[in-house]
Each structure stands twice: as C-alpha cells, then as structure tokens.
C-alpha cells in the first residue's frame, strides 16, 4: 500500500505541475529565456503535451486496477460529458484553446489499444509519433490547409448543421489545436510507458520500485535531449533553416520582417506546421506537432513522472509534493474553473501577477477542499466525482 501511495502521489504531483504549466501558457507573460522567464519557456508547448501523456499513463494504471473490463457504455458517457464541457467552454470564448473536446476523442480512440500486448502497444506508440505528424503534413495540403486554417477548437455552433459537424470532425482529427493525428501519440506513449513501468513481471517490479522511477527519469531525459537536440542540429547545422526561410519567402513573405520568421509562422497557425516544405518536420518549436517535438515533449513527460515518483518516496519531498498532488487529483475541476474565470471575470488578465494568483489560488483551494472533504468520495474533486458517478455502471441488485 505504501508503494501505491508513493506512486499515485508522484503521478498526481506531475499532473499538477502540468496544470500549473497550462496556467503559465494561458495567463503568464510571453516566454523569454531570461531569469524566471525560463519557467515559461519550459511550459510553452510542453504543458498540454505532458498533461496528455500523463492521461495515457494514468489510463494504464486504471486498466491495471480493473478486475474486469467495464465495457463501452461508461467510456461513451465520460467521453460525451468531456466533449460537451469542451464545447461549452470554447463557446464562452475564455481566450484559451480548450482541450477537453479533443480529450473525449482521445479516450474513445485509446480503448482498443488498451487491449494490446505491451510490446505491440510500445511499437505502435513509437510509430505513431512519426506517422501522425507526417500524415498531418500530407493531408493538410490535400485538404486545403497548405498555409493556414489550422489551430481551431470545436464550438457549439458546429452542432447546428451537417457542414458544422464536418468542420468539427476535421478540427478534432486534423486541423484543430490538439488534433488526434498529432496529439494522440502522447496518449499512446503514456499508455505504453504506464504498462512498461508498472507491469508486475518487470525487473525491478513496478513503478513503486525506486530504480524503475529513476530509469524512467533517465530515459525521459535522454529522449528529450534527442528530440530537441536533433532538431537543433538539423535546423541550425544541417541546412533546414535555409529551406524553411525559402518556403517562408514563397508562402509567408510577411513573416520575413519578424525577428523570428519561423516562430512567427508557427504562431500564426497556433503551432501546426504548414504543408509547404518537408523541412518543417525538422523543427521542434512549441506546438509545432512534428516527430521531433513529440519525442522531446514525451521525454519531458516521462522524466517528470519518474522524478516526481522517485522524490515522493522521501518523507520531506512527499510533503512538498502533496499540494501539487492535490491540484493533479482535481485536474478537471481546476481546468474548468480557470476557464470559467477567464471567460467571465478575468478575461485578458495576464502577466506574472495573474500567473501567481491563479497558481496560488488553485493550490490553496485544492488543499482546503481535500482536507474539508477527506474520507468522502468528493475528496478527488467535484467534477471528478460527478464524472465517475454518471459513468459508473449500475450496481447489480
């Protein structure tokens, strides 16, 4: 039991850090590699990717704990609720790219993969990190998104017509801010890592073993270095920058006037790469959704999980991590509340003060909530409790 508590505390703390990272992206100042600005640079583009990878990792743990498969009904209910929440929040225009509707598709798509053997799953996960971004690049050109038209989120108006349904499906699968083709690999990688790190037949056995956590940290750091480092070599030393600048001069001449033309083009598409040059697949900038960015971000996520779980074994470090774990335990509730706050009361409020108060309020509120409701099903968060209650299969009489 102590091993399970350590493992879950570390995983929840890693998820909490990812949530605070999304706060940094949504309300923090522009990321600049100066002083505390490095924290924002670290969060930019990585926070939602790591959050998604941790979702896959958590799914592996949940499936491991299930004594029997729950069937499709609870999954369909959970996905429908997440999808509706995502549509409603996006319709309120909170000033952020709401990820929940995409999550509903991820979980539906992940179910068949949870039934695969671990080795098969790991191979497919690794392949998806390459195949998904390449398919996105090719299909973008074929479907009229060569230079623009990406980065949106589904909204309630999409449900009003058949053409709207088509646009919503295209956003969820290909052109949205977190489309299935380029973000689902994080779920598969997290699912495979969760299986590999917690399987009972491994040596050492399970993530509660300290060596397993440190191995996960080391391999994650190596993957991050490989992804970002190889991108730097290809762009800066391998000639890809010249190819990119030529494509920008041809397709996006306005960006040549910017200090960072490549970043300017990516920013105009919310990170999705344009289908104008294969050299785009060499970049690993925030939200670029390329194979190398996926490898780097997945490495960061794996290292964060491993490090958090390893540190949670030490009593002092565990106490430090518990407030972050409280946020991670209630991630859905925290995400929805912060989106509502941005939509109704704090729209446009950004900067260090905004980030500080969003983060401090979230941590304190989650700690107070869990203390006040300890020993009750509501301890894990109001929306988490409601989602579980609505989607749990009925008890047999």
């Amino acid at each position: 039991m102590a091993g399970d508590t350590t493992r879950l505390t570390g995983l929840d703390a890693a998820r909490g850090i990812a949530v605070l990272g999304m706060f940094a992206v949504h309300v923090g100042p522009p990321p600049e590699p100066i002083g505390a600005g490095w924290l924002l640079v670290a969060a930019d583009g990585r926070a939602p990717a790591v959050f998604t990878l941790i979702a896959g990792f958590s799914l592996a743990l949940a499936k491991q704990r299930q004594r029997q498969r729950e069937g499709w009904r609870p999954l369909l209910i959970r996905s429908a609720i997440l999808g509706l929440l995502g549509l409603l929040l996006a319709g309120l225009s909170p000033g952020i790219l709401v990820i929940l509707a995409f999550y509903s598709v991820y979980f539906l798509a992940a179910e068949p993969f949870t039934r695969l053997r671990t080795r098969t799953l790991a191979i497919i996960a690794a392949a998806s990190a390459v195949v998904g971004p390449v398919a996105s690049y090719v299909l973008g050109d074929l479907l009229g998104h060569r230079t623009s038209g990406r980065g949106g989120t589904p909204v309630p108006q999409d449900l009003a017509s058949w053409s709207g349904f088509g646009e919503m499906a295209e956003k969820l699968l290909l052109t949205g801010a977190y489309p299935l083709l380029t973000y689902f690999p994080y779920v598969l990688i997290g699912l495979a890592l969760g299986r590999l790190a917690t399987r009972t037949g491994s040596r050492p056995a399970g993530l509660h073993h300290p060596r397993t956590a440190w191995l996960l940290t080391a391999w994650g750091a190596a993957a991050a270095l490989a992804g970002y480092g190889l991108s730097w070599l290809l762009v800066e030393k391998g000639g890809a920058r010249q190819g990119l600048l030529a494509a920008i001069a041809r397709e996006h001449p306005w960006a040549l006037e910017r200090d960072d033309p490549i970043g300017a083009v990516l920013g105009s598409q919310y990170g999705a790469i344009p289908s104008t040059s294969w050299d785009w697949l060499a970049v690993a900038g925030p939200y670029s959704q390329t194979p190398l960015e996926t490898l780097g971000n997945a490495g960061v996520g794996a290292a964060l999980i491993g490090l958090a779980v390893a540190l949670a074994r030490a009593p002092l470090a565990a106490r430090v991590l518990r407030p972050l774990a409280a946020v991670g335990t209630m991630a859905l509730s925290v995400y929805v509340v912060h989106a509502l706050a941005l939509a109704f009361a704090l729209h446009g409020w950004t900067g260090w003060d905004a980030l500080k108060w969003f983060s401090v309020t979230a941590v304190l509120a989650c700690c107070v909530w869990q203390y006040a409701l300890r020993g009750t099903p509501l301890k894990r968060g109001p929306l988490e409790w409601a989602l579980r209650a609505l989607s749990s299969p009925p008890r047999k009489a």
Side-chain angles (χ1 to χ4, degrees):
M1 289 299 292
D4 289 340
T5 300
T6 296
R7 180 179 67 180
L8 294 176
T9 297
L11 185 60
D12 285 338
R15 189 185 298 109
I17 292 171
V19 171
L20 297 184
M22 287 195 284
F23 285 2
V25 174
H26 295 161
V27 302
E32 296 181 359
I34 302 173
W38 278 106
L39 295 174
L40 304 176
V41 172
D44 194 26
R46 296 175 185 87
V50 170
F51 191 71
T52 305
L53 183 140
I54 292 174
F57 199 100
S58 301
L59 181 60
L61 299 187
K63 292 295 183 180
Q64 184 187 57
R65 292 195 299 266
Q66 284 180 0
R67 296 186 178 181
Q68 60 182 11
R69 295 199 176 272
E70 61 180 6
W72 283 92
R73 181 179 176 274
L75 175 62
L76 291 172
I77 293 173
R78 284 195 296 270
S79 296
I81 293 171
L82 287 175
L84 289 173
L85 271 175
L87 289 174
L88 291 173
L89 290 177
L92 295 174
S93 300
I96 63 175
L97 298 171
V98 180
I99 198 173
L100 294 183
F102 298 93
Y103 258 60
S104 68
V105 178
Y106 301 160
F107 287 127
L108 283 174
E111 179 60 23
F113 294 95
T114 65
R115 304 167 189 266
L116 298 177
R117 297 177 61 182
T118 300
R119 179 174 296 181
T120 303
L121 174 62
I123 293 172
I124 292 175
S128 72
V130 176
V131 174
V134 171
S136 175
Y137 177 90
V138 173
L139 291 174
D141 191 15
L142 294 176
L143 297 177
H145 301 287
R146 178 179 173 82
T147 60
S148 61
R150 305 199 196 203
T153 57
V155 292
Q157 292 87 329
D158 291 336
L159 301 176
S161 65
W162 287 112
S163 62
F165 269 107
E167 291 177 6
M168 181 171 65
E170 191 174 54
K171 292 174 188 174
L172 292 171
L173 300 178
L174 173 65
T175 64
Y178 313 102
L180 186 76
L181 272 178
T182 53
Y183 256 73
F184 188 58
Y186 292 119
V187 177
L188 292 180
I189 294 170
L191 187 60
L193 288 174
R195 285 267 200 91
L196 291 168
T198 59
R199 57 181 178 167
T200 56
S202 63
R203 290 182 180 273
L207 187 59
H208 61 272
H209 193 289
R211 188 184 171 197
T212 306
W214 287 117
L215 282 174
L216 186 60
T217 304
W219 280 107
L225 181 62
Y228 303 136
L230 182 56
S231 173
W232 181 83
L233 288 173
L234 291 173
V235 174
E236 302 299 336
K237 303 297 182 180
R241 175 174 290 276
Q242 286 69 33
L244 290 172
L245 291 177
I248 291 172
R250 183 178 64 250
E251 306 285 353
H252 307 275
W254 58 268
L256 294 176
E257 301 177 0
R258 305 294 178 85
D259 294 335
D260 180 11
I262 296 173
V265 172
L266 291 177
S268 71
Q269 298 204 106
Y270 297 98
I273 61 170
S275 301
T276 58
S277 170
W278 287 100
D279 288 318
W280 284 110
L281 292 173
V283 306
Y287 308 102
S288 55
Q289 300 175 9
T290 65
L292 293 179
E293 193 212 11
T294 302
L295 175 60
N297 289 351
V300 171
L304 178 62
I305 293 171
L307 184 61
V309 172
L311 292 177
R313 295 181 57 82
L316 178 60
R319 285 194 289 270
V320 173
L321 290 176
R322 281 192 192 110
L324 294 172
V327 176
T329 301
M330 302 170 59
L332 176 61
S333 297
V334 172
Y335 185 91
V336 170
V337 169
H338 108 282
L340 291 174
L342 289 174
F344 288 111
L346 304 172
H347 184 68
W349 186 36
T350 60
W352 283 111
D353 284 343
L355 177 57
K356 177 181 67 177
W357 286 110
F358 264 90
S359 301
V360 170
T361 300
V363 171
L364 290 179
C366 290
C367 289
V368 170
W369 178 279
Q370 291 203 335
Y371 180 79
L373 295 169
R374 62 191 183 281
T376 72
L378 277 168
K379 176 185 176 182
R380 296 189 66 85
L383 289 181
E384 287 75 8
W385 172 82
L387 194 63
R388 180 183 293 270
L390 291 172
S391 62
S392 295
R395 294 182 179 180
K396 295 181 180 180

